PDB file of all heavy atoms in Angstrom:
ATOM      1  N   GLU A  57     120.866  26.334 -16.224  1.00 86.00           N
ATOM      2  CA  GLU A  57     119.497  25.955 -16.562  1.00 86.00           C
ATOM      3  C   GLU A  57     119.092  24.711 -15.786  1.00 86.00           C
ATOM      4  O   GLU A  57     119.830  24.233 -14.919  1.00 86.00           O
ATOM      5  CB  GLU A  57     119.319  25.797 -18.076  1.00 86.00           C
ATOM      6  CG  GLU A  57     120.332  24.923 -18.765  1.00 86.00           C
ATOM      7  CD  GLU A  57     120.055  24.816 -20.268  1.00 86.00           C
ATOM      8  OE1 GLU A  57     120.279  25.810 -20.994  1.00 86.00           O
ATOM      9  OE2 GLU A  57     119.599  23.745 -20.685  1.00 86.00           O
ATOM     10  N   GLY A  62     121.277  23.388  -8.724  1.00 89.00           N
ATOM     11  CA  GLY A  62     122.102  23.751  -7.579  1.00 89.00           C
ATOM     12  C   GLY A  62     123.290  24.613  -7.923  1.00 89.00           C
ATOM     13  O   GLY A  62     123.910  25.200  -7.034  1.00 89.00           O
ATOM     14  N   GLU A 350     110.153  30.742 -18.853  1.00 88.00           N
ATOM     15  CA  GLU A 350     108.721  30.914 -19.124  1.00 88.00           C
ATOM     16  C   GLU A 350     107.843  30.440 -17.965  1.00 88.00           C
ATOM     17  O   GLU A 350     106.940  31.150 -17.533  1.00 88.00           O
ATOM     18  CB  GLU A 350     108.305  30.172 -20.395  1.00 88.00           C
ATOM     19  CG  GLU A 350     108.820  30.787 -21.671  1.00 88.00           C
ATOM     20  CD  GLU A 350     110.260  30.418 -21.972  1.00 88.00           C
ATOM     21  OE1 GLU A 350     110.858  29.649 -21.192  1.00 88.00           O
ATOM     22  OE2 GLU A 350     110.785  30.913 -22.987  1.00 88.00           O
ATOM     23  N   ARG A 355     104.166  31.736 -13.751  1.00 93.00           N
ATOM     24  CA  ARG A 355     103.715  31.510 -12.376  1.00 93.00           C
ATOM     25  C   ARG A 355     103.540  32.850 -11.662  1.00 93.00           C
ATOM     26  O   ARG A 355     102.547  33.058 -10.947  1.00 93.00           O
ATOM     27  CB  ARG A 355     104.742  30.662 -11.615  1.00 93.00           C
ATOM     28  CG  ARG A 355     104.280  29.231 -11.355  1.00 93.00           C
ATOM     29  CD  ARG A 355     105.157  28.535 -10.319  1.00 93.00           C
ATOM     30  NE  ARG A 355     106.549  28.403 -10.752  1.00 93.00           N
ATOM     31  CZ  ARG A 355     106.996  27.413 -11.515  1.00 93.00           C
ATOM     32  NH1 ARG A 355     106.193  26.450 -11.909  1.00 93.00           N
ATOM     33  NH2 ARG A 355     108.260  27.359 -11.874  1.00 93.00           N
ATOM     34  N   ASP A 358     100.436  34.625 -13.136  1.00 95.00           N
ATOM     35  CA  ASP A 358      99.203  34.013 -12.616  1.00 95.00           C
ATOM     36  C   ASP A 358      98.933  34.440 -11.180  1.00 95.00           C
ATOM     37  O   ASP A 358      97.789  34.709 -10.809  1.00 95.00           O
ATOM     38  CB  ASP A 358      99.299  32.481 -12.697  1.00 95.00           C
ATOM     39  CG  ASP A 358      99.054  31.981 -14.113  1.00 95.00           C
ATOM     40  OD1 ASP A 358      98.196  32.570 -14.794  1.00 95.00           O
ATOM     41  OD2 ASP A 358      99.691  31.006 -14.530  1.00 95.00           O
ATOM     42  N   ARG A 362      95.670  36.515 -10.018  1.00 95.00           N
ATOM     43  CA  ARG A 362      94.794  36.016  -8.948  1.00 95.00           C
ATOM     44  C   ARG A 362      94.548  37.078  -7.879  1.00 95.00           C
ATOM     45  O   ARG A 362      93.483  37.123  -7.279  1.00 95.00           O
ATOM     46  CB  ARG A 362      95.415  34.780  -8.293  1.00 95.00           C
ATOM     47  CG  ARG A 362      94.968  33.463  -8.907  1.00 95.00           C
ATOM     48  CD  ARG A 362      95.249  32.286  -7.985  1.00 95.00           C
ATOM     49  NE  ARG A 362      96.661  32.142  -7.677  1.00 95.00           N
ATOM     50  CZ  ARG A 362      97.534  31.510  -8.467  1.00 95.00           C
ATOM     51  NH1 ARG A 362      97.121  30.950  -9.594  1.00 95.00           N
ATOM     52  NH2 ARG A 362      98.789  31.427  -8.137  1.00 95.00           N
ATOM     53  N   GLU A 404     124.058  30.861 -29.578  1.00 95.00           N
ATOM     54  CA  GLU A 404     123.978  29.415 -29.695  1.00 95.00           C
ATOM     55  C   GLU A 404     124.174  29.069 -31.171  1.00 95.00           C
ATOM     56  O   GLU A 404     124.222  29.962 -32.025  1.00 95.00           O
ATOM     57  CB  GLU A 404     122.633  28.946 -29.137  1.00 95.00           C
ATOM     58  CG  GLU A 404     122.469  29.519 -27.729  1.00 95.00           C
ATOM     59  CD  GLU A 404     121.390  28.860 -26.899  1.00 95.00           C
ATOM     60  OE1 GLU A 404     121.001  27.724 -27.200  1.00 95.00           O
ATOM     61  OE2 GLU A 404     120.951  29.494 -25.933  1.00 95.00           O
ATOM     62  N   SER A 405     124.262  27.784 -31.463  1.00 95.00           N
ATOM     63  CA  SER A 405     124.626  27.387 -32.828  1.00 95.00           C
ATOM     64  C   SER A 405     123.748  28.039 -33.883  1.00 95.00           C
ATOM     65  O   SER A 405     124.234  28.498 -34.915  1.00 95.00           O
ATOM     66  CB  SER A 405     124.540  25.873 -32.960  1.00 95.00           C
ATOM     67  OG  SER A 405     125.512  25.276 -32.144  1.00 95.00           O
ATOM     68  N   ARG A 406     122.438  28.102 -33.622  1.00 95.00           N
ATOM     69  CA  ARG A 406     121.554  28.653 -34.651  1.00 95.00           C
ATOM     70  C   ARG A 406     121.857  30.123 -34.933  1.00 95.00           C
ATOM     71  O   ARG A 406     121.729  30.595 -36.058  1.00 95.00           O
ATOM     72  CB  ARG A 406     120.089  28.448 -34.274  1.00 95.00           C
ATOM     73  CG  ARG A 406     119.635  29.159 -33.014  1.00 95.00           C
ATOM     74  CD  ARG A 406     118.221  28.730 -32.602  1.00 95.00           C
ATOM     75  NE  ARG A 406     117.778  29.410 -31.403  1.00 95.00           N
ATOM     76  CZ  ARG A 406     118.157  29.117 -30.160  1.00 95.00           C
ATOM     77  NH1 ARG A 406     119.026  28.137 -29.950  1.00 95.00           N
ATOM     78  NH2 ARG A 406     117.686  29.775 -29.124  1.00 95.00           N
ATOM     79  N   LYS A 457     130.697  28.139  -1.862  1.00 86.00           N
ATOM     80  CA  LYS A 457     132.051  28.690  -1.889  1.00 86.00           C
ATOM     81  C   LYS A 457     132.949  27.969  -2.875  1.00 86.00           C
ATOM     82  O   LYS A 457     134.093  28.355  -3.076  1.00 86.00           O
ATOM     83  CB  LYS A 457     132.673  28.583  -0.487  1.00 86.00           C
ATOM     84  CG  LYS A 457     132.237  29.677   0.470  1.00 86.00           C
ATOM     85  CD  LYS A 457     133.100  29.629   1.726  1.00 86.00           C
ATOM     86  CE  LYS A 457     132.609  30.615   2.763  1.00 86.00           C
ATOM     87  NZ  LYS A 457     133.337  30.479   4.027  1.00 86.00           N
ATOM     88  N   ARG A 470     123.095  14.440  -9.548  1.00 92.00           N
ATOM     89  CA  ARG A 470     121.990  15.281  -9.064  1.00 92.00           C
ATOM     90  C   ARG A 470     120.722  15.045  -9.873  1.00 92.00           C
ATOM     91  O   ARG A 470     119.619  15.009  -9.341  1.00 92.00           O
ATOM     92  CB  ARG A 470     122.383  16.767  -9.149  1.00 92.00           C
ATOM     93  CG  ARG A 470     123.385  17.164  -8.098  1.00 92.00           C
ATOM     94  CD  ARG A 470     123.733  18.631  -8.193  1.00 92.00           C
ATOM     95  NE  ARG A 470     124.643  18.965  -7.108  1.00 92.00           N
ATOM     96  CZ  ARG A 470     125.042  20.189  -6.823  1.00 92.00           C
ATOM     97  NH1 ARG A 470     124.622  21.210  -7.549  1.00 92.00           N
ATOM     98  NH2 ARG A 470     125.858  20.415  -5.814  1.00 92.00           N
ATOM     99  N   ALA A 474     117.304  13.657  -8.453  1.00 92.00           N
ATOM    100  CA  ALA A 474     116.087  14.447  -8.624  1.00 92.00           C
ATOM    101  C   ALA A 474     114.981  13.609  -9.236  1.00 92.00           C
ATOM    102  O   ALA A 474     113.822  13.702  -8.856  1.00 92.00           O
ATOM    103  CB  ALA A 474     116.367  15.658  -9.505  1.00 92.00           C
ATOM    104  N   ALA A 475     115.333  12.789 -10.198  1.00 91.00           N
ATOM    105  CA  ALA A 475     114.308  12.040 -10.914  1.00 91.00           C
ATOM    106  C   ALA A 475     113.874  10.810 -10.140  1.00 91.00           C
ATOM    107  O   ALA A 475     112.738  10.354 -10.260  1.00 91.00           O
ATOM    108  CB  ALA A 475     114.831  11.635 -12.289  1.00 91.00           C
ATOM    109  N   PHE A 482     123.145   0.055   4.642  1.00 92.00           N
ATOM    110  CA  PHE A 482     124.367   0.007   5.427  1.00 92.00           C
ATOM    111  C   PHE A 482     124.488  -1.352   6.102  1.00 92.00           C
ATOM    112  O   PHE A 482     123.515  -1.885   6.635  1.00 92.00           O
ATOM    113  CB  PHE A 482     124.331   1.109   6.487  1.00 92.00           C
ATOM    114  CG  PHE A 482     125.631   1.274   7.199  1.00 92.00           C
ATOM    115  CD1 PHE A 482     126.577   2.198   6.759  1.00 92.00           C
ATOM    116  CD2 PHE A 482     125.940   0.491   8.299  1.00 92.00           C
ATOM    117  CE1 PHE A 482     127.786   2.336   7.404  1.00 92.00           C
ATOM    118  CE2 PHE A 482     127.155   0.627   8.951  1.00 92.00           C
ATOM    119  CZ  PHE A 482     128.086   1.551   8.512  1.00 92.00           C
ATOM    120  N   GLU A 494     126.187  -6.113  11.933  1.00 89.00           N
ATOM    121  CA  GLU A 494     125.249  -5.014  12.216  1.00 89.00           C
ATOM    122  C   GLU A 494     124.517  -4.689  10.917  1.00 89.00           C
ATOM    123  O   GLU A 494     125.124  -4.641   9.864  1.00 89.00           O
ATOM    124  CB  GLU A 494     125.974  -3.754  12.695  1.00 89.00           C
ATOM    125  CG  GLU A 494     126.861  -3.908  13.914  1.00 89.00           C
ATOM    126  CD  GLU A 494     126.082  -3.981  15.233  1.00 89.00           C
ATOM    127  OE1 GLU A 494     124.822  -3.946  15.197  1.00 89.00           O
ATOM    128  OE2 GLU A 494     126.749  -4.075  16.285  1.00 89.00           O
ATOM    129  N   ARG A 553     111.458   1.402 -11.320  1.00 87.00           N
ATOM    130  CA  ARG A 553     112.155   2.644 -10.992  1.00 87.00           C
ATOM    131  C   ARG A 553     113.660   2.404 -11.014  1.00 87.00           C
ATOM    132  O   ARG A 553     114.104   1.251 -11.021  1.00 87.00           O
ATOM    133  CB  ARG A 553     111.728   3.129  -9.595  1.00 87.00           C
ATOM    134  CG  ARG A 553     110.255   3.476  -9.461  1.00 87.00           C
ATOM    135  CD  ARG A 553     110.000   4.947  -9.756  1.00 87.00           C
ATOM    136  NE  ARG A 553     110.784   5.792  -8.891  1.00 87.00           N
ATOM    137  CZ  ARG A 553     110.453   6.099  -7.647  1.00 87.00           C
ATOM    138  NH1 ARG A 553     109.340   5.662  -7.132  1.00 87.00           N
ATOM    139  NH2 ARG A 553     111.238   6.855  -6.918  1.00 87.00           N
ATOM    140  N   SER A 564     133.885  -4.707  10.424  1.00 90.00           N
ATOM    141  CA  SER A 564     133.692  -4.397  11.833  1.00 90.00           C
ATOM    142  C   SER A 564     135.040  -4.080  12.463  1.00 90.00           C
ATOM    143  O   SER A 564     136.070  -4.673  12.134  1.00 90.00           O
ATOM    144  CB  SER A 564     133.060  -5.584  12.550  1.00 90.00           C
ATOM    145  OG  SER A 564     133.045  -5.326  13.932  1.00 90.00           O
ATOM    146  N   SER A 565     135.018  -3.081  13.368  1.00 83.00           N
ATOM    147  CA  SER A 565     136.246  -2.713  14.057  1.00 83.00           C
ATOM    148  C   SER A 565     136.465  -3.626  15.264  1.00 83.00           C
ATOM    149  O   SER A 565     137.465  -3.537  15.941  1.00 83.00           O
ATOM    150  CB  SER A 565     136.160  -1.260  14.506  1.00 83.00           C
ATOM    151  OG  SER A 565     135.015  -1.092  15.308  1.00 83.00           O
ATOM    152  N   ARG A 566     135.444  -4.467  15.564  1.00 75.00           N
ATOM    153  CA  ARG A 566     135.635  -5.374  16.713  1.00 75.00           C
ATOM    154  C   ARG A 566     135.155  -6.757  16.326  1.00 75.00           C
ATOM    155  O   ARG A 566     134.037  -7.149  16.668  1.00 75.00           O
ATOM    156  CB  ARG A 566     134.919  -4.839  17.927  1.00 75.00           C
ATOM    157  CG  ARG A 566     133.559  -4.228  17.616  1.00 75.00           C
ATOM    158  CD  ARG A 566     132.809  -3.915  18.888  1.00 75.00           C
ATOM    159  NE  ARG A 566     131.372  -3.918  18.586  1.00 75.00           N
ATOM    160  CZ  ARG A 566     130.433  -3.943  19.491  1.00 75.00           C
ATOM    161  NH1 ARG A 566     130.737  -3.986  20.770  1.00 75.00           N
ATOM    162  NH2 ARG A 566     129.164  -3.953  19.147  1.00 75.00           N
TER     163      ARG A 566
ATOM    164  N   GLU B  63     106.448  19.447 -14.870  1.00 86.00           N
ATOM    165  CA  GLU B  63     107.451  20.445 -15.222  1.00 86.00           C
ATOM    166  C   GLU B  63     108.694  20.262 -14.367  1.00 86.00           C
ATOM    167  O   GLU B  63     108.792  19.296 -13.598  1.00 86.00           O
ATOM    168  CB  GLU B  63     106.879  21.863 -15.159  1.00 86.00           C
ATOM    169  CG  GLU B  63     106.185  22.226 -13.868  1.00 86.00           C
ATOM    170  CD  GLU B  63     105.640  23.653 -13.904  1.00 86.00           C
ATOM    171  OE1 GLU B  63     104.624  23.902 -14.597  1.00 86.00           O
ATOM    172  OE2 GLU B  63     106.259  24.504 -13.252  1.00 86.00           O
ATOM    173  N   GLY B  68     111.263  13.538 -12.165  1.00 89.00           N
ATOM    174  CA  GLY B  68     111.060  12.097 -12.076  1.00 89.00           C
ATOM    175  C   GLY B  68     109.619  11.659 -12.204  1.00 89.00           C
ATOM    176  O   GLY B  68     109.337  10.477 -12.390  1.00 89.00           O
ATOM    177  N   GLU B 356     111.111  25.360 -24.014  1.00 88.00           N
ATOM    178  CA  GLU B 356     111.949  26.174 -24.884  1.00 88.00           C
ATOM    179  C   GLU B 356     113.393  25.688 -24.941  1.00 88.00           C
ATOM    180  O   GLU B 356     113.964  25.537 -26.019  1.00 88.00           O
ATOM    181  CB  GLU B 356     111.940  27.643 -24.435  1.00 88.00           C
ATOM    182  CG  GLU B 356     110.642  28.372 -24.698  1.00 88.00           C
ATOM    183  CD  GLU B 356     109.597  28.078 -23.645  1.00 88.00           C
ATOM    184  OE1 GLU B 356     109.886  27.322 -22.691  1.00 88.00           O
ATOM    185  OE2 GLU B 356     108.478  28.596 -23.766  1.00 88.00           O
ATOM    186  N   ARG B 361     117.665  23.369 -27.966  1.00 93.00           N
ATOM    187  CA  ARG B 361     118.796  22.435 -28.018  1.00 93.00           C
ATOM    188  C   ARG B 361     118.708  21.579 -29.277  1.00 93.00           C
ATOM    189  O   ARG B 361     119.706  21.342 -29.952  1.00 93.00           O
ATOM    190  CB  ARG B 361     118.789  21.527 -26.781  1.00 93.00           C
ATOM    191  CG  ARG B 361     119.903  21.835 -25.796  1.00 93.00           C
ATOM    192  CD  ARG B 361     120.082  20.729 -24.764  1.00 93.00           C
ATOM    193  NE  ARG B 361     118.903  20.521 -23.939  1.00 93.00           N
ATOM    194  CZ  ARG B 361     118.635  21.230 -22.830  1.00 93.00           C
ATOM    195  NH1 ARG B 361     119.449  22.168 -22.427  1.00 93.00           N
ATOM    196  NH2 ARG B 361     117.533  20.995 -22.134  1.00 93.00           N
ATOM    197  N   ASP B 364     119.459  23.760 -32.358  1.00 95.00           N
ATOM    198  CA  ASP B 364     120.906  24.008 -32.459  1.00 95.00           C
ATOM    199  C   ASP B 364     121.641  22.781 -32.981  1.00 95.00           C
ATOM    200  O   ASP B 364     122.549  22.897 -33.805  1.00 95.00           O
ATOM    201  CB  ASP B 364     121.475  24.425 -31.094  1.00 95.00           C
ATOM    202  CG  ASP B 364     121.170  25.876 -30.766  1.00 95.00           C
ATOM    203  OD1 ASP B 364     121.193  26.692 -31.701  1.00 95.00           O
ATOM    204  OD2 ASP B 364     120.914  26.187 -29.598  1.00 95.00           O
ATOM    205  N   ARG B 368     123.728  22.702 -36.451  1.00 95.00           N
ATOM    206  CA  ARG B 368     125.141  22.296 -36.473  1.00 95.00           C
ATOM    207  C   ARG B 368     125.399  21.224 -37.529  1.00 95.00           C
ATOM    208  O   ARG B 368     126.467  21.155 -38.112  1.00 95.00           O
ATOM    209  CB  ARG B 368     125.567  21.754 -35.101  1.00 95.00           C
ATOM    210  CG  ARG B 368     126.158  22.808 -34.188  1.00 95.00           C
ATOM    211  CD  ARG B 368     126.957  22.187 -33.038  1.00 95.00           C
ATOM    212  NE  ARG B 368     126.129  21.339 -32.197  1.00 95.00           N
ATOM    213  CZ  ARG B 368     125.371  21.779 -31.193  1.00 95.00           C
ATOM    214  NH1 ARG B 368     125.331  23.071 -30.914  1.00 95.00           N
ATOM    215  NH2 ARG B 368     124.649  20.955 -30.476  1.00 95.00           N
ATOM    216  N   GLU B 410      95.279  28.443 -16.976  1.00 95.00           N
ATOM    217  CA  GLU B 410      95.932  28.940 -15.770  1.00 95.00           C
ATOM    218  C   GLU B 410      95.201  30.216 -15.359  1.00 95.00           C
ATOM    219  O   GLU B 410      94.329  30.700 -16.083  1.00 95.00           O
ATOM    220  CB  GLU B 410      97.415  29.172 -16.062  1.00 95.00           C
ATOM    221  CG  GLU B 410      98.007  27.885 -16.642  1.00 95.00           C
ATOM    222  CD  GLU B 410      99.517  27.805 -16.633  1.00 95.00           C
ATOM    223  OE1 GLU B 410     100.146  28.510 -15.824  1.00 95.00           O
ATOM    224  OE2 GLU B 410     100.058  27.012 -17.425  1.00 95.00           O
ATOM    225  N   SER B 411      95.554  30.750 -14.198  1.00 95.00           N
ATOM    226  CA  SER B 411      94.767  31.863 -13.657  1.00 95.00           C
ATOM    227  C   SER B 411      94.588  32.996 -14.648  1.00 95.00           C
ATOM    228  O   SER B 411      93.508  33.559 -14.783  1.00 95.00           O
ATOM    229  CB  SER B 411      95.428  32.403 -12.388  1.00 95.00           C
ATOM    230  OG  SER B 411      95.382  31.423 -11.388  1.00 95.00           O
ATOM    231  N   ARG B 412      95.670  33.348 -15.375  1.00 95.00           N
ATOM    232  CA  ARG B 412      95.563  34.499 -16.283  1.00 95.00           C
ATOM    233  C   ARG B 412      94.554  34.229 -17.393  1.00 95.00           C
ATOM    234  O   ARG B 412      93.860  35.136 -17.857  1.00 95.00           O
ATOM    235  CB  ARG B 412      96.923  34.877 -16.845  1.00 95.00           C
ATOM    236  CG  ARG B 412      97.576  33.812 -17.708  1.00 95.00           C
ATOM    237  CD  ARG B 412      99.031  34.179 -18.027  1.00 95.00           C
ATOM    238  NE  ARG B 412      99.680  33.194 -18.883  1.00 95.00           N
ATOM    239  CZ  ARG B 412     100.161  32.026 -18.468  1.00 95.00           C
ATOM    240  NH1 ARG B 412     100.034  31.667 -17.199  1.00 95.00           N
ATOM    241  NH2 ARG B 412     100.743  31.192 -19.298  1.00 95.00           N
ATOM    242  N   ARG B 476     113.405  15.716  -3.549  1.00 92.00           N
ATOM    243  CA  ARG B 476     114.108  15.573  -4.823  1.00 92.00           C
ATOM    244  C   ARG B 476     114.743  16.878  -5.253  1.00 92.00           C
ATOM    245  O   ARG B 476     115.846  16.900  -5.788  1.00 92.00           O
ATOM    246  CB  ARG B 476     113.124  15.097  -5.912  1.00 92.00           C
ATOM    247  CG  ARG B 476     112.733  13.652  -5.744  1.00 92.00           C
ATOM    248  CD  ARG B 476     111.774  13.211  -6.835  1.00 92.00           C
ATOM    249  NE  ARG B 476     111.499  11.781  -6.680  1.00 92.00           N
ATOM    250  CZ  ARG B 476     110.808  11.061  -7.539  1.00 92.00           C
ATOM    251  NH1 ARG B 476     110.302  11.622  -8.616  1.00 92.00           N
ATOM    252  NH2 ARG B 476     110.609   9.780  -7.329  1.00 92.00           N
ATOM    253  N   ALA B 480     118.617  17.503  -5.774  1.00 91.00           N
ATOM    254  CA  ALA B 480     119.089  17.974  -7.077  1.00 91.00           C
ATOM    255  C   ALA B 480     119.973  19.200  -6.915  1.00 91.00           C
ATOM    256  O   ALA B 480     120.981  19.338  -7.588  1.00 91.00           O
ATOM    257  CB  ALA B 480     117.910  18.301  -7.984  1.00 91.00           C
ATOM    258  N   ALA B 481     119.585  20.087  -6.027  1.00 91.00           N
ATOM    259  CA  ALA B 481     120.310  21.342  -5.900  1.00 91.00           C
ATOM    260  C   ALA B 481     121.565  21.186  -5.058  1.00 91.00           C
ATOM    261  O   ALA B 481     122.536  21.897  -5.257  1.00 91.00           O
ATOM    262  CB  ALA B 481     119.409  22.414  -5.295  1.00 91.00           C
ATOM    263  N   PHE B 488     126.729   7.178   8.960  1.00 92.00           N
ATOM    264  CA  PHE B 488     126.243   5.987   9.628  1.00 92.00           C
ATOM    265  C   PHE B 488     127.076   5.703  10.864  1.00 92.00           C
ATOM    266  O   PHE B 488     128.293   5.801  10.833  1.00 92.00           O
ATOM    267  CB  PHE B 488     126.326   4.794   8.670  1.00 92.00           C
ATOM    268  CG  PHE B 488     125.643   3.572   9.201  1.00 92.00           C
ATOM    269  CD1 PHE B 488     124.323   3.303   8.874  1.00 92.00           C
ATOM    270  CD2 PHE B 488     126.325   2.708  10.037  1.00 92.00           C
ATOM    271  CE1 PHE B 488     123.693   2.183   9.378  1.00 92.00           C
ATOM    272  CE2 PHE B 488     125.683   1.581  10.538  1.00 92.00           C
ATOM    273  CZ  PHE B 488     124.373   1.315  10.213  1.00 92.00           C
ATOM    274  N   GLU B 500     130.777   1.193  15.898  1.00 89.00           N
ATOM    275  CA  GLU B 500     131.150   1.064  14.475  1.00 89.00           C
ATOM    276  C   GLU B 500     130.898   2.415  13.816  1.00 89.00           C
ATOM    277  O   GLU B 500     129.888   3.048  14.069  1.00 89.00           O
ATOM    278  CB  GLU B 500     130.309  -0.003  13.761  1.00 89.00           C
ATOM    279  CG  GLU B 500     130.340  -1.390  14.361  1.00 89.00           C
ATOM    280  CD  GLU B 500     131.614  -2.173  14.028  1.00 89.00           C
ATOM    281  OE1 GLU B 500     132.521  -1.604  13.378  1.00 89.00           O
ATOM    282  OE2 GLU B 500     131.701  -3.342  14.461  1.00 89.00           O
ATOM    283  N   ARG B 559     126.866  25.670   1.805  1.00 87.00           N
ATOM    284  CA  ARG B 559     125.970  24.762   1.081  1.00 87.00           C
ATOM    285  C   ARG B 559     124.945  24.185   2.050  1.00 87.00           C
ATOM    286  O   ARG B 559     125.105  24.272   3.279  1.00 87.00           O
ATOM    287  CB  ARG B 559     126.793  23.617   0.472  1.00 87.00           C
ATOM    288  CG  ARG B 559     127.807  24.062  -0.572  1.00 87.00           C
ATOM    289  CD  ARG B 559     127.227  24.054  -1.962  1.00 87.00           C
ATOM    290  NE  ARG B 559     126.689  22.741  -2.295  1.00 87.00           N
ATOM    291  CZ  ARG B 559     127.431  21.721  -2.717  1.00 87.00           C
ATOM    292  NH1 ARG B 559     128.715  21.877  -2.899  1.00 87.00           N
ATOM    293  NH2 ARG B 559     126.882  20.553  -2.976  1.00 87.00           N
ATOM    294  N   SER B 570     123.660  -1.171  18.548  1.00 90.00           N
ATOM    295  CA  SER B 570     124.372  -2.398  18.210  1.00 90.00           C
ATOM    296  C   SER B 570     123.542  -3.609  18.617  1.00 90.00           C
ATOM    297  O   SER B 570     122.856  -3.609  19.644  1.00 90.00           O
ATOM    298  CB  SER B 570     125.717  -2.431  18.927  1.00 90.00           C
ATOM    299  OG  SER B 570     126.322  -3.686  18.714  1.00 90.00           O
ATOM    300  N   SER B 571     123.591  -4.634  17.777  1.00 83.00           N
ATOM    301  CA  SER B 571     122.860  -5.857  18.090  1.00 83.00           C
ATOM    302  C   SER B 571     123.687  -6.756  18.996  1.00 83.00           C
ATOM    303  O   SER B 571     123.238  -7.787  19.436  1.00 83.00           O
ATOM    304  CB  SER B 571     122.527  -6.588  16.788  1.00 83.00           C
ATOM    305  OG  SER B 571     123.724  -6.837  16.080  1.00 83.00           O
ATOM    306  N   ARG B 572     124.925  -6.361  19.241  1.00 75.00           N
ATOM    307  CA  ARG B 572     125.774  -7.193  20.100  1.00 75.00           C
ATOM    308  C   ARG B 572     126.556  -6.299  21.054  1.00 75.00           C
ATOM    309  O   ARG B 572     127.743  -6.022  20.859  1.00 75.00           O
ATOM    310  CB  ARG B 572     126.716  -8.067  19.281  1.00 75.00           C
ATOM    311  CG  ARG B 572     127.326  -7.343  18.082  1.00 75.00           C
ATOM    312  CD  ARG B 572     128.400  -8.193  17.464  1.00 75.00           C
ATOM    313  NE  ARG B 572     129.313  -7.342  16.725  1.00 75.00           N
ATOM    314  CZ  ARG B 572     130.477  -7.724  16.271  1.00 75.00           C
ATOM    315  NH1 ARG B 572     130.898  -8.948  16.472  1.00 75.00           N
ATOM    316  NH2 ARG B 572     131.262  -6.904  15.611  1.00 75.00           N
TER     317      ARG B 572
END
Side-chain angles (χ1 to χ4, degrees):
Chain A
E57 51 179 72
E350 289 81 2
R355 252 194 298 275
D358 282 323
R362 268 198 300 276
E404 307 196 21
S405 294
R406 63 189 180 283
K457 279 190 186 174
R470 287 181 177 187
F482 189 93
E494 304 283 2
R553 297 269 303 279
S564 172
S565 56
R566 40 171 205 166
Chain B
E63 52 180 73
E356 288 81 1
R361 251 194 298 275
D364 282 323
R368 268 198 299 276
E410 306 196 23
S411 294
R412 63 190 181 281
R476 287 180 176 187
F488 189 94
E500 304 282 4
R559 297 269 304 279
S570 173
S571 57
R572 41 171 203 167

